[in-house]
């Protein structure tokens, strides 16, 4: 990080690995936000395709490209925000995009509510971001403490935030223990939501691209297991958080048990449902899943 005081602009940081066919869309969407974006930092995490050649087509002096040996998205994101010169940080995945006008809107809300973190709506698209979204995502509790909702509906929200640098410093950036590497954005968001209130910007800000090579698509079960580990480690076991912690662990354990049952691990599903119900006995979906698993076990 620079020893100088951060400049009053937004730094958009983009980690990437072998996303040559998407990276240009992400970079252009960031640069097109306007003068509020003072720099766009791409951290190339050991790409072996022509990512660097694609980036060389961009003539805008605000683009900075950093390289590292392949170390994963946690290391790439941390290097990016630590090298950023702006007072505000906008994270952007290299296969996604920012909606036109997103950064100015978020920055206006952040300056108006300096004690809160501004966030907008995330839209989920097919492979072509320019097509109409499949659906949009935001919290029901639009402003204030969003921890209880974030625990269960985390998708896309942290990426739709404009983060003041001190908030990132306070929570220690991304990572911190091995399991968090599988769900680094969820772990990071938990720590932010424990410490900060949020303010809602009523417009689409972040565009999520769904495609066959999305990093988490083939590893849902591992992400849910890691999410449980993050909840166990990050949420305090105090009276204020105890019920939320139990319910949240049961939620992810239920997803794991459903996955195991659907993939033929009946014994594992039964164990999972019992653990889920030990944490949250009134989880009716777990009772139904347990009934299905026991019936299948009896048939065998």
């Amino acid at each position: 990080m620079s020893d100088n005081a951060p400049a009053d602009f937004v730094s958009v940081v983009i980690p990437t690995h072998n996303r040559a066919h998407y990276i240009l869309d992400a970079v252009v969407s960031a640069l097109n936000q306007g003068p509020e974006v003072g720099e766009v930092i791409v951290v190339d995490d050991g790409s072996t395709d022509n990512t660097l050649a694609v980036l060389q087509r961009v003539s805008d002096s605000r683009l900075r490209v950093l390289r590292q040996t392949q170390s994963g998205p946690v290391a790439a994101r941390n290097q990016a925000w630590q090298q950023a010169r702006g007072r505000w940080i906008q994270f952007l995945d290299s296969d996604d995009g920012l909606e036109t006008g997103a950064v100015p809107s978020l920055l206006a809300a952040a300056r108006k509510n300096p004690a809160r973190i501004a966030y907008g709506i995330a839209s989920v698209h097919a492979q072509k971001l320019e097509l109409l979204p499949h659906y949009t995502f935001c919290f029901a509790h639009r402003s204030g403490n969003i921890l209880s909702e974030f625990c269960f509906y985390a998708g896309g929200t942290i990426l739709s935030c404009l983060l003041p640098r001190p908030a990132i410093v306070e929570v220690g950036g991304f990572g911190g223990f091995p399991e968090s590497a599988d769900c680094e954005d969820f772990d990071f968001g938990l720590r932010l939501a424990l410490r900060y209130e949020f303010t809602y910007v009523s417009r689409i800000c972040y565009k999520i691209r769904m495609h066959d090579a999305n990093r988490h698509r083939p590893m849902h079960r591992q992400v849910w297991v890691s999410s449980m580990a993050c909840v166990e480690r990050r949420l305090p076991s105090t009276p204020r958080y105890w019920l939320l912690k139990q319910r949240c662990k049961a939620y992810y354990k239920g997803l794991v048990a459903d996955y195991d049952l659907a993939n033929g691990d009946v014994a594992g599903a039964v164990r999972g449902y019992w653990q889920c119900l030990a944490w949250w006995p009134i989880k009716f979906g777990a009772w139904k899943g347990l009934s299905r698993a026991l019936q299948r076990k009896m048939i065998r």
Side-chain angles (χ1 to χ4, degrees):
M1 185 186 304
S2 172
D3 293 332
N4 298 325
D8 192 26
F9 58 63
V10 174
S11 297
V12 179
V13 298
I14 308 174
T16 191
H17 174 73
N18 288 347
R19 287 284 188 262
H21 47 307
Y22 295 135
I23 185 65
L24 191 60
D25 288 346
V27 168
V28 170
S29 79
L31 293 171
N32 285 349
Q33 294 297 311
E36 290 85 355
V37 171
E39 61 182 0
V40 175
I41 303 175
V42 175
V43 177
D44 179 26
D45 184 38
S47 292
T48 56
D49 62 2
N50 63 328
T51 291
L52 290 177
V54 171
L55 292 171
Q56 287 171 357
R57 302 177 197 166
V58 180
S59 59
D60 196 308
S61 62
R62 291 176 295 167
L63 176 62
R64 298 169 58 196
V65 180
L66 309 177
R67 299 193 70 187
Q68 65 179 32
T69 56
Q70 187 176 358
S71 306
V74 168
R77 282 176 169 168
N78 282 335
Q79 182 184 178
W81 76 260
Q82 289 166 1
Q83 293 289 331
R85 296 186 285 246
R87 189 183 307 277
W88 311 91
I89 309 295
Q90 172 72 58
F91 291 105
L92 173 61
D93 281 355
S94 59
D95 51 355
D96 295 335
L98 295 175
E99 183 63 82
T100 302
V103 166
S105 297
L106 289 167
L107 186 57
R111 286 171 171 164
K112 186 177 180 180
N113 303 276
R116 295 186 173 191
I117 293 174
Y119 81 100
I121 301 171
S123 58
V124 180
H125 299 253
Q127 194 158 345
K128 292 185 178 181
L129 287 180
E130 63 270 20
L131 298 180
L132 290 175
H134 292 321
Y135 60 91
T136 58
F137 179 90
C138 63
F139 291 135
H141 296 94
R142 300 299 172 82
S143 293
N145 188 301
I146 63 171
L147 176 64
S148 60
E149 285 192 87
F150 181 83
C151 284
F152 303 98
Y153 308 106
T157 304
I158 290 304
L159 292 173
S160 71
C161 292
L162 182 65
L163 296 167
R165 181 193 294 275
I168 305 174
V169 173
E170 182 180 350
V171 302
F174 290 86
F177 71 106
E179 292 89 341
S180 63
D182 293 324
C183 54
E184 74 283 351
D185 48 355
F186 176 66
D187 177 65
F188 179 67
L190 275 182
R191 287 176 282 137
L192 283 173
L194 276 165
R195 292 167 174 81
Y196 288 90
E197 292 193 337
F198 289 66
T199 190
Y200 170 67
V201 175
S202 59
R203 60 167 296 158
I204 293 174
C205 293
Y206 193 93
K207 299 166 74 172
I208 300 170
R209 187 197 310 263
M210 299 304 295
H211 56 89
D212 291 340
N214 279 115
R215 182 166 66 96
H216 286 155
R217 272 204 165 182
M219 51 183 289
H220 290 306
R221 188 185 190 281
Q222 182 57 47
V223 171
W224 294 328
V225 170
S226 297
S227 295
M228 278 190 291
C230 291
V231 169
E232 182 64 52
R233 181 178 289 253
R234 303 302 189 189
L235 290 187
S237 297
T238 59
R240 178 181 177 184
Y241 296 106
W242 187 81
L243 283 177
L244 175 61
K245 188 171 185 176
Q246 296 296 97
R247 183 183 167 210
C248 191
K249 289 191 297 182
Y251 171 74
Y252 289 107
K253 176 60 78 172
L255 292 176
V256 171
D258 289 342
Y259 180 95
D260 288 343
L261 184 59
N263 287 275
D265 184 2
V266 178
V270 169
R271 291 192 300 270
Y273 288 127
W274 279 125
Q275 180 62 75
C276 176
L277 292 165
W279 285 329
W280 197 251
I282 60 173
K283 186 170 175 57
F284 299 113
W287 284 110
K288 292 179 180 178
L290 179 62
S291 176
R292 292 194 303 270
L294 290 175
Q295 288 175 14
R296 196 174 299 182
K297 192 173 184 180
M298 290 174 63
I299 292 173
R300 290 184 176 185

